[in-house]
Amino acid sequence: MSQQEVAMLILQGADQRWPLEKDRLTIGRGPDCDIILPDRVVSRRHACIERRNGDYFIVDDRSKNGTFVNGEPVTDEPRLLIDGDEIQIALRFRLTFVDAGATAPLSLEEPLAVASIRAESAGLRLDDTRRTVTVADRVLDPPLSVAQYRLLRRLIQARGAVVSREEIVEAVWPESHGEGVSEQAIDALVRRLRERLAELDPDHQYIVTVRGHGFRLENPS
């Protein structure tokens, strides 16, 4: 597996990241941990991340102040991580999980014509051939993860209409058959996609939340 295909954790508010190259990584304040968070609210052995058949799971290691994913407490049962999930360690440290598919090829069953995408989105363009996203005439680099790209593509396909959460699950996680994907996971993915688009165009909110209905793409005027 190349370095570009390795999942990673990114510490929010700091220029620090950890590639998840081992099948099991420990998180805590102890010096023997793989990811060391030096704070008294963090247990010596706080949590661990396990890789199983290409998927990543987080488990709380009976920590004193808890481990959370998208605000939900993690128990000693493994919790599947999805691209864009926010992990909170003792409610002090916030880490973003970026999956291993961030630069992996994406197979698209219904390719969109690039010209039609440009016509629908003046400030935002997708190239399905290269799987690139252009925002304000600049290419987003590093590329979006597979989940982020699928979400953005589905929003563009809607041509400004609202896309429901059920439709997002079907487009982004088709293998789940609508089961096991929480609203928090969807919100985390939307939040992460917004952050990526804002890297190149911070003055425009491309993804609008329509409360009680879903999300829609708003193009710049």
Side-chain angles (χ1 to χ4, degrees):
M1 180 179 293
S2 68
Q3 183 176 1
Q4 292 174 314
E5 295 174 345
V6 174
M8 67 175 58
L9 290 181
I10 300 175
L11 181 62
Q12 297 182 20
D15 185 19
Q16 197 165 1
R17 58 189 62 200
W18 296 271
L20 306 180
E21 298 174 315
K22 297 165 57 177
D23 288 336
R24 190 176 190 275
L25 291 94
T26 55
I27 303 173
R29 77 169 193 272
D32 57 337
C33 290
D34 298 296
I35 299 175
I36 301 174
L37 302 175
D39 193 296
R40 295 293 298 178
V41 300
V42 179
S43 299
R44 289 185 178 276
R45 280 292 189 88
H46 198 101
C48 69
I49 292 181
E50 300 175 353
R51 181 171 60 192
R52 305 177 186 176
N53 299 320
D55 290 324
Y56 293 82
F57 298 82
I58 187 167
V59 182
D60 183 77
D61 199 3
R62 299 182 180 179
S63 65
K64 180 179 180 181
N65 293 310
T67 303
F68 305 82
V69 174
N70 304 325
E72 295 183 342
V74 177
T75 64
D76 54 0
E77 293 295 323
R79 163 73 180 257
L80 176 65
L81 292 173
I82 297 173
D83 179 68
D85 277 349
E86 180 182 270
I87 301 170
Q88 293 176 290
I89 302 296
L91 297 177
R92 175 67 59 85
F93 294 94
R94 297 173 181 265
L95 304 105
T96 300
F97 172 75
V98 180
D99 75 3
T103 57
L106 178 63
S107 174
L108 299 170
E109 297 179 357
E110 301 177 0
L112 292 173
V114 176
S116 68
I117 299 177
R118 289 176 177 171
E120 290 300 320
S121 181
L124 180 64
R125 299 196 302 272
L126 269 65
D127 186 333
D128 276 347
T129 303
R130 299 183 179 89
R131 199 175 71 83
T132 59
V133 177
T134 302
V135 183
D137 293 324
R138 290 187 292 169
V139 176
L140 196 60
D141 186 35
L144 296 179
S145 71
V146 171
Q148 293 163 6
Y149 191 92
R150 284 176 174 169
L151 171 58
L152 182 57
R153 189 173 184 273
R154 182 63 186 87
L155 292 171
I156 288 179
Q157 284 179 318
R159 300 175 184 272
V162 175
V163 179
S164 69
R165 291 176 177 270
E166 291 77 13
E167 291 172 319
I168 289 175
V169 172
E170 183 178 350
V172 177
W173 299 285
E175 67 282 354
S176 72
H177 304 292
E179 299 179 357
V181 180
S182 67
E183 291 196 3
Q184 289 81 5
I186 298 172
D187 291 337
L189 179 62
V190 171
R191 181 179 64 250
R192 181 58 179 155
L193 179 56
R194 281 177 174 150
E195 292 172 351
R196 292 303 318 277
L197 297 178
E199 291 175 14
L200 297 183
D201 190 0
D203 298 326
H204 183 75
Q205 181 77 289
Y206 285 91
I207 304 174
V208 177
T209 301
V210 182
R211 294 192 180 279
H213 297 280
F215 305 89
R216 64 180 177 85
L217 189 73
E218 184 173 285
N219 301 324
S221 58

